[in-house]
Amino acid sequence: MNVIPKTSINVGNLKQSTLKTMKLDPISYVSSSDWPGYTPNNAFDNKENTYWHCASNFGLPQYCGAKFERKVHINNFYLSLYYMSSTIILQGSNDGKNWVNIQTYTCKDKIATYDVNDYDDNYLYYCINTIKLNDYYVAYKDITFFGY
């Protein structure tokens, strides 16, 4: 019988290109507002029938996002919309209050994965900010961030 020894991988030695596909797990959630029972954590729970919903009608911009345990770099993200947004911005922050625009996207589908052009800084917080609507309200069914 051949025995295959266990090996471990030191994440610190992995190339960034290897880490670009890692799903990032938030430790808490942020939003510009939320409707009672439709809190931002709903956008990250991977459940089909839950979602985050903003509290105000047509009050733009509205965002929903997450805080991570350490500063991270986002390479792409998955977004499932409840109502159709027209224009969104991926934003980063280190305090959850002062946001830096990373990239703007035009939404063509309610469900899509968006690639992120390279940018310089890593952040503790990331959010998806709707700045223009095609529908009635801002509501996200699912957000998943990938990066390192």
Side-chain angles (χ1 to χ4, degrees), residues 87-91 101-105 127-131:
T87 306
I88 59 171
I89 301 174
L90 173 66
Q91 296 178 313
N101 292 346
I102 297 171
Q103 191 168 343
T104 301
Y105 302 87
C127 75
I128 308 300
N129 193 345
T130 294
I131 61 169

Side-chain angles (χ1 to χ4, degrees), residues 43-106:
F44 294 89
D45 66 6
N46 295 315
K47 294 180 182 173
E48 180 63 30
N49 54 350
T50 63
Y51 56 94
W52 165 77
H53 193 298
C54 71
S56 56
N57 301 342
F58 298 105
L60 294 176
Q62 292 284 340
Y63 68 84
C64 180
K67 179 182 181 183
F68 297 93
E69 188 172 4
R70 60 178 172 71
K71 290 183 178 183
V72 297
H73 193 91
I74 303 297
N75 291 9
N76 58 58
F77 61 93
Y78 168 85
L79 178 63
S80 175
L81 300 167
Y82 191 84
Y83 298 110
M84 189 63 183
S85 293
S86 175
T87 306
I88 59 171
I89 301 174
L90 173 66
Q91 296 178 313
S93 173
N94 285 318
D95 62 8
K97 296 175 186 172
N98 299 299
W99 296 96
V100 174
N101 292 346
I102 297 171
Q103 191 168 343
T104 301
Y105 302 87
T106 300

